[in-house]
Amino acid sequence: MTRTVDLNADMGESFGPWIMGRDADLLKIVTSANIACGFHAGDPDVMAETMALAVKNGVGIGAHPGFPDLRGFGRYRIQIPLDQLANVVRYQVSAAQGMARVAGGEMRHVKLHGALGNMTSEDQEMAKVCYSAALDIDPDLYVMVLAGTAQQRAAESLGANFAAEIFADRAYNDDATLVDRRFKGAVIHDAHLAAKRMVAMVQEGAIITESGKRIDARIDTICMHGDTPEAVEIARAVRAALETAGISAKAFPHG
C-alpha cells in the first residue's frame, strides 16, 4: 500500500512592497499552506492574495499565528501572560478564517510560528493554551504539531485533531526539538540532503537527530520553510524523492 504524507510550507510573509519567499511557485508543489496572519509578517492584501492562490491550486489553508513581532519576524522569544496569549492566537485565527472564506476556501489547520512554536514545543501548558484558543474559533481544526514534543502531548491531552510535523530544512536536537537558528547547521540549505533525510525519516517512522539518534515518531506532514532562498528547490526535491520511494503527497482532511 502506498503511503501518503502532507507537504506544508510557511508563506504569506511578504509585507506591502517587501517580498518574502516564492509563494506562487511553492503552491504548485506543497499540499498545505501555513499563511501568516499579520502579527509576525503579512498584511491583509498578502493574506487575500496567498489564500486565493492556495484555493486555485487546491492547497489546504492554515493559519500561521505568531508573536506580535514584525521587526523580529516572530523569532524573538516574548513573555506574554497566557490569558493574553490566548487572545493573540484567537485574533489571528479568526482573521485567517474570514479571509479564507472570502477567497472561496476554508481554513482547516493552525500551526504556530517561530519563537511561539519553539516555546510551545518545550512547554505543554503554553501549547495547550494556544491550541485551546484556536479551537475556540473552530473545534474541527487540525493543529499542526512538532512531532514528539510538548506540542503533540498538548494536542493529545485536548483530544484535538492533529498532524505531526517534521522539518525538511531544520536540524534536530535529541529531544525532538529544533536546533536553535543561532547555531551552525541548524538550517539545511542542500536540497539533495533535505530530500534524502525526509525519505529516511518517513520510511523509518522516526526523527533522525544531529547526533544520529532515532526517535520514533508519527509523521503526517513535512515542512519546508518558505523564507529560505532554496525553499522551492528543497520542496521540489523532497516531493520527487518521496514519490520515487513510493510515498505520495496528499493533504490531510479538515474536520
Side-chain angles (χ1 to χ4, degrees), residues 49-87:
E49 180 180 355
T50 309
M51 288 182 175
L53 281 172
V55 171
K56 180 180 178 181
N57 285 278
V59 174
I61 294 173
H64 197 34
F67 282 131
D69 175 29
L70 283 173
R71 186 179 186 278
F73 198 65
R75 290 180 178 154
Y76 293 156
R77 291 191 173 223
I78 301 174
Q79 301 299 325
I80 298 177
L82 292 182
D83 59 336
Q84 294 179 30
L85 181 60
N87 285 330

Side-chain angles (χ1 to χ4, degrees), residues 198-217:
M198 290 303 96
V199 171
M201 289 191 199
V202 173
Q203 288 180 332
E204 294 187 32
I207 292 167
I208 303 173
T209 72
E210 279 295 271
S211 71
K213 179 180 178 180
R214 263 66 172 170
I215 303 170
D216 290 342

Side-chain angles (χ1 to χ4, degrees), residues 140-194:
D140 292 329
L141 282 178
Y142 271 71
V143 290
M144 200 176 279
V145 302
L146 278 168
T149 70
Q151 287 188 356
Q152 182 169 337
R153 295 190 290 275
E156 290 171 341
S157 73
L158 290 169
N161 297 319
F162 71 90
E165 175 186 51
I166 61 173
F167 284 78
D169 54 5
R170 294 296 305 277
Y172 279 91
N173 297 308
D174 282 351
D175 62 355
T177 60
L178 301 176
V179 174
D180 193 294
R181 285 176 178 267
R182 291 175 298 174
F183 299 115
K184 184 179 180 180
V187 179
I188 295 165
H189 299 283
D190 184 325
H192 175 73
L193 174 60

Side-chain angles (χ1 to χ4, degrees), residues 31-138:
T31 52
S32 293
N34 319 308
I35 299 173
C37 305
F39 272 37
H40 78 275
D43 62 40
D45 293 331
V46 170
M47 286 180 73
E49 180 180 355
T50 309
M51 288 182 175
L53 281 172
V55 171
K56 180 180 178 181
N57 285 278
V59 174
I61 294 173
H64 197 34
F67 282 131
D69 175 29
L70 283 173
R71 186 179 186 278
F73 198 65
R75 290 180 178 154
Y76 293 156
R77 291 191 173 223
I78 301 174
Q79 301 299 325
I80 298 177
L82 292 182
D83 59 336
Q84 294 179 30
L85 181 60
N87 285 330
V88 165
V89 173
R90 291 187 190 108
Y91 187 97
Q92 294 178 79
V93 171
S94 297
Q97 182 186 63
M99 296 294 278
R101 289 176 177 172
V102 170
E106 188 70 27
M107 185 180 64
R108 66 188 183 90
H109 72 274
V110 61
K111 173 184 168 180
L112 304 177
H113 168 79
L116 181 58
N118 292 333
M119 291 168 72
T120 51
S121 74
E122 303 160 3
D123 185 333
Q124 184 172 335
E125 182 58 29
M126 185 180 182
K128 190 172 179 179
V129 166
C130 291
Y131 294 149
S132 294
L135 295 171
D136 287 342
I137 307 305
D138 182 352

